[in-house]
Amino acid sequence: MKVGFVGLGIMGRPMCKNLLKAGYEITAYDPFAAEALEDVVSCGARRGESNADVASKSDVVIIMVPNSPHVKAAIFDTNGISEGAHSGLDLIDMSSIAPLASKEIAETCREYDIHMMDAPVSGGEPKAIDGTLSIMCGGPKALFDKYLSLLNVMGASVVHCGDVNGAGNTVKLANQIIVAVNIAACAEAYSLSTMAGVDPQKVFDAIRGGLAGSTVMDAKVPMMMDRNFTPGFRIDLHIKDLNNALDTGHGLGTPMILTSQVQEMMQWLHNHAEGQSDHSAILKYYEQITGTEIHR
């Protein structure tokens, strides 16, 4: 199987490298990540000359870019995937975009005889590196079954969420709401306990095994205590996801109260030069208000 990979950012780069380790023949391209492209080429990937070139040399192309305009550009712009696509090319968009945008892109792809599945991921850079991402797929079940083995190289959990394109991205929005609110709750709770004079490490040790414990707490609270805000998932990207969630929720008529509150916190951080920090930096929003830093 010949695999194309477009988009070698924080997530795409390790995902591509895991496919190479598993023995897949990869042609990769990213005009905005020269160092990452050199890295995957040194690991055995072929260097693509354009998105069209990648498509022409592949049975399936994986896209991993920031948002729907980037997905559309990768596919439909000059030298895009659609220009190099052969009839029956399969496309797996692993970007996190709005569900309606995913559906529209898939419909346009069919005009080029390109079959598309949306397959956004959760887990951040650490799980992209070790190949244990959660992957949420939307689109024809036959396409999901065809590429399940490939997806299992990159993820520990790979779930078909529905036959309609956009189903995977709908589940991803639900995931991003829960993650964002969970991180904000951790920041608020640890601000409270620190101001009350309780060692945050003791709080972590005491509650992580109970009902309040979570994967988010295990991953993000140690970063908060170490004041390590190196991005595994950037605030600006989470803002993008929550904007998509708010737009989708408003379109459906469902209240998005908690989502909108956390979005305002993240937007404040973006406006104070923290947009490229890890989303655990929500802690800094509380620290600004309280004047109290949290650390071990």
Side-chain angles (χ1 to χ4, degrees):
M1 182 187 298
K2 296 179 180 179
V3 180
F5 209 107
V6 172
L8 300 168
I10 286 178
M11 300 293 287
R13 180 179 186 172
M15 291 163 66
C16 181
K17 290 172 75 171
N18 282 333
L19 290 174
L20 288 166
K21 290 176 187 174
Y24 284 95
E25 183 179 333
I26 308 285
T27 303
Y29 182 68
D30 190 327
F32 308 108
E35 180 184 344
L37 182 56
E38 291 296 334
D39 184 23
V40 299
V41 167
S42 72
C43 293
R46 295 181 179 178
R47 185 193 308 275
E49 300 302 323
S50 65
N51 293 334
D53 181 54
V54 169
S56 71
K57 296 174 179 175
S58 304
D59 301 311
V60 57
V61 177
I62 294 170
I63 300 177
M64 190 58 170
V65 295
N67 206 354
S68 50
H70 307 94
V71 176
K72 291 177 182 177
I75 301 171
F76 304 120
D77 275 8
T78 301
N79 288 321
I81 290 167
S82 61
E83 284 193 8
H86 52 82
S87 179
L89 177 71
D90 293 328
L91 181 62
I92 304 175
D93 179 26
M94 303 190 77
S95 317
S96 294
I97 68 175
L100 286 178
S102 187
K103 184 177 180 180
E104 291 167 2
I105 292 167
E107 289 173 352
T108 306
C109 279
R110 283 193 283 273
E111 298 174 9
Y112 296 88
D113 197 24
I114 298 171
H115 312 131
M116 179 180 140
M117 173 170 64
D118 53 296
V121 307
S122 177
E125 184 183 19
K127 290 186 178 293
I129 291 170
D130 62 21
T132 59
L133 292 164
S134 294
I135 305 176
M136 298 147 268
C137 304
K141 182 63 161 53
L143 201 59
F144 172 81
D145 291 338
K146 183 176 181 180
Y147 293 107
L148 180 57
S149 295
L150 181 147
L151 294 171
N152 277 327
V153 172
M154 298 178 283
S157 170
V158 183
V159 177
H160 184 245
C161 301
D163 292 321
V164 178
N165 285 104
N169 275 304
T170 299
V171 175
K172 176 60 186 289
L173 292 185
N175 179 88
Q176 293 303 83
I177 291 168
I178 293 168
V179 169
V181 174
N182 203 335
I183 294 174
C186 287
E188 188 167 303
Y190 281 85
S191 294
L192 168 70
S193 57
T194 298
M195 292 184 72
V198 181
D199 181 351
Q201 182 64 53
K202 297 294 186 183
V203 178
F204 182 67
D205 294 339
I207 68 176
R208 64 182 300 212
L211 187 60
S214 67
T215 301
V216 170
M217 180 181 287
D218 285 344
K220 298 303 176 180
V221 170
M223 293 179 70
M224 293 178 184
M225 291 189 292
D226 291 337
R227 310 201 60 74
N228 171 21
F229 303 112
T230 302
F233 191 77
R234 293 186 177 95
I235 282 173
D236 280 347
L237 285 177
H238 214 140
I239 288 173
K240 176 264 297 185
D241 288 341
L242 295 188
N243 277 335
N244 285 336
L246 289 167
D247 287 345
T248 302
H250 293 159
L252 294 170
T254 184
M256 306 293 290
I257 298 165
L258 295 176
T259 303
S260 62
Q261 290 294 315
V262 181
Q263 177 71 315
E264 289 299 320
M265 296 178 192
M266 291 190 176
Q267 189 62 50
W268 184 92
L269 288 163
H270 169 85
N271 293 339
H272 288 77
E274 295 289 349
Q276 296 302 301
S277 297
D278 186 77
H279 48 183
S280 59
I282 289 176
L283 176 68
K284 293 187 178 183
Y285 176 83
Y286 285 92
E287 291 180 339
Q288 176 69 23
I289 295 170
T290 65
T292 302
E293 281 195 356
I294 294 173
H295 49 75
R296 292 187 193 272

